[in-house]
Amino acid sequence: MTSILWLRRDLRRSDHPALLAARDAADGDLVVAFVVDPALWEGGGPARRAWLAATLEATNEEYDDALTLLWGDPVTVVPELAARVGASSAHVTRETTPFGHRRDEAVAQALSAAGVEWVETGTPYAVGPGLVTNGSGSAYKVFTPFARAWRSHGWPEPAARPTSLPLRQARSDAKATDALREALAAPGLPEMPGAGEKAAAARWRGFVDDALPAYTTDRDRPGTDGTSRMSPYLKLGVVHPRTLLADLASRRGPGKETYVDELAWREFYADVLWHNPSSAWKDLRDALDGMAYDDESDAVDAWREGRTGYPIVDAGMRQLLAEGWMHNRVRMITASFLTKDLHVWWPVGARHFLDHLVDGDIASNNHGWQWVAGTGTDASPYFRVFNPVTQGEKFDPDGVYVRRWVPELAHLEGKAAHQPWEHEDGYEQGYPERIVDHAEERREALRRLEATKG
């Protein structure tokens, strides 16, 4: 009998437990498929669609050009594929997001009605969401104790990469292949990293050899290539975090421990979402119930387009549009500006990020926004307002990052690029003036906070 492996956030061949389970269940052929779901495809921005399309091209190569592409609602098309190829089982990596979990329950039910076994093996995380609990069996609400328990729980070694597979390609949907082709040819796409497992492995080797030793300090400097840039690969499961952790286990130094902490944050936010599905788009904590937020306005458009008049904010927003990625420190600065300086509810910014980020992960992105907004777990207190000038001067002290993304300030040397209003020639290249006064908006943010307490 034939078995199906339905790929989702696991677009790889290495360290893939669900693939091994599907291979072992196949008494004959193995069909590897990906479903382009219009509900997700049409809701994503051009950069996200192009990154997925490029990654699927690379995944097809890893599976010897035998990847089957389908278009439509998985509840319909996966059972149809099973019937067409005579499959006895369908294998997946367990999905943990609210949408994915609901979808899989519906697909499993439809397959069961047709006599096809549904098998879930593994998750996109080193430790599956819901498995790390405190002494009373409850979920952790704070990162530090979660990370300690997560390390103590541990994770298995990476799964072996199969050298041969009984692959069979079923007929792909023309609508799916056309959609992917159009996504890669869309105008105005950002410059993206190389796609696929080989590119991910090369990026990782370069990072651990060159940047990991100084990662603890350099990761906060957007003008330095000090981060791993593995998040786009982790997002689509091109590499499993367990693979990275296994490599890090053989290394020493503070950079290693800091990077493991960053992976733990990703797993923590996935765990929070698993236990609190509504936190995807609603405040996790009710501490700011009654907070007065402003509606979207021309100021929000200026934020989206990188013309707020605050250089570090504008550099980050322009990097997002140009690369489909933004440095994490700058993500916090830009998020604080929207929520605290423009007084806009965090989902507005979270949606914009997800539209453009090639690494846009709903758990990490939306809970990261809530951390800044003061509504999430381990929340930065609402009264902690990032000052875009001092943040820029601290983490981009020479102005390298700002000048790279805001060419109107290229003529200002050093940290002068962070305060063009302090220089006679600061605006001579057409850089916009500040749309708000940060000091005044900080006071307004604190006034609104006090009003919620009343």
Side-chain angles (χ1 to χ4, degrees), residues 1-289:
M1 296 294 287
T2 298
S3 66
I4 294 172
L5 173 67
W6 174 20
L7 297 175
R8 291 89 67 81
R9 289 196 293 162
D10 50 357
L11 301 183
R12 63 184 185 279
R13 183 162 171 165
S14 301
D15 192 5
H16 201 314
L19 167 60
L20 299 181
R23 178 202 62 185
D24 293 344
D27 183 15
D29 298 327
L30 169 61
V31 175
V32 181
F34 183 89
V35 180
V36 182
D37 183 350
L40 298 176
W41 180 259
E42 294 169 1
R48 291 182 65 191
R49 290 195 292 267
W51 176 240
L52 173 59
T55 301
L56 285 169
E57 277 194 348
T59 305
N60 184 42
E61 293 179 9
E62 293 290 342
Y63 284 96
D64 306 327
D65 295 326
L67 180 64
T68 300
L69 297 171
L70 306 175
W71 173 276
D73 184 346
V75 177
T76 301
V77 300
V78 173
E80 287 178 348
L81 174 66
R84 178 153 51 99
V85 301
S88 59
S89 61
H91 297 257
V92 296
T93 299
R94 180 168 67 92
E95 186 52 84
T96 60
T97 64
F99 174 87
H101 185 60
R102 291 192 304 269
R103 175 202 60 202
D104 284 2
E105 286 184 331
V107 175
Q109 185 175 6
L111 287 170
S112 178
V116 179
E117 183 183 10
W118 174 262
V119 185
E120 297 180 338
T121 309
T123 74
Y125 303 96
V127 182
L131 297 180
V132 177
T133 56
N134 60 25
S136 64
S138 300
Y140 283 98
K141 298 181 179 180
V142 178
F143 171 72
T144 301
F146 170 88
R148 190 162 45 244
W150 176 78
R151 279 181 163 89
S152 178
H153 183 285
W155 40 83
E157 290 295 312
R161 178 185 173 92
T163 55
S164 62
L165 294 168
L167 294 170
R168 166 190 172 189
Q169 186 180 31
R171 184 180 68 256
S172 291
D173 288 346
K175 193 166 185 179
T177 56
D178 289 346
L180 298 180
R181 189 180 305 111
E182 290 170 5
L184 291 170
L189 288 175
E191 181 181 350
M192 292 184 292
E197 290 184 66
K198 294 182 180 65
R203 176 66 202 185
W204 176 250
R205 286 194 301 270
F207 168 70
V208 295
D209 291 342
D210 302 332
L212 183 62
Y215 179 71
T216 300
T217 55
D218 286 357
R219 69 191 178 100
D220 269 329
R221 297 185 178 276
T224 300
D225 188 19
T227 65
S228 71
R229 294 266 190 143
M230 293 301 294
S231 55
Y233 302 111
L234 287 166
K235 156 63 183 173
L236 293 180
V238 176
V239 63
H240 197 283
R242 180 177 49 227
T243 304
L244 306 185
L245 288 163
D247 187 24
L248 289 169
S250 64
R251 302 178 184 275
R252 297 182 179 181
K256 163 192 169 179
E257 295 305 324
T258 302
Y259 195 88
V260 172
D261 275 344
E262 293 303 306
L263 291 175
W265 271 107
R266 180 176 181 269
E267 308 244 333
F268 175 58
Y269 281 148
D271 193 72
V272 171
L273 184 60
W274 172 256
H275 289 286
N276 306 273
S278 65
S279 68
W281 294 107
K282 296 181 179 179
D283 292 353
L284 177 66
R285 299 187 306 125
D286 59 6
L288 297 183
D289 277 0

Side-chain angles (χ1 to χ4, degrees), residues 279-343:
S279 68
W281 294 107
K282 296 181 179 179
D283 292 353
L284 177 66
R285 299 187 306 125
D286 59 6
L288 297 183
D289 277 0
M291 173 67 73
Y293 294 108
D294 290 353
D295 294 332
E296 294 189 49
S297 62
D298 290 344
V300 177
D301 288 337
W303 174 82
R304 289 190 178 109
E305 296 164 10
R307 47 182 183 84
T308 67
Y310 286 91
I312 192 72
V313 173
D314 293 342
M317 300 307 293
R318 295 183 190 188
Q319 182 184 29
L320 174 63
L321 296 178
E323 292 190 340
W325 188 85
M326 188 194 300
H327 189 279
N328 188 62
R329 167 57 58 173
V330 188
R331 295 188 197 200
M332 292 189 284
I333 297 170
T334 56
S336 180
F337 190 87
L338 182 71
T339 56
K340 308 293 177 64
D341 288 70
L342 301 185
H343 317 294

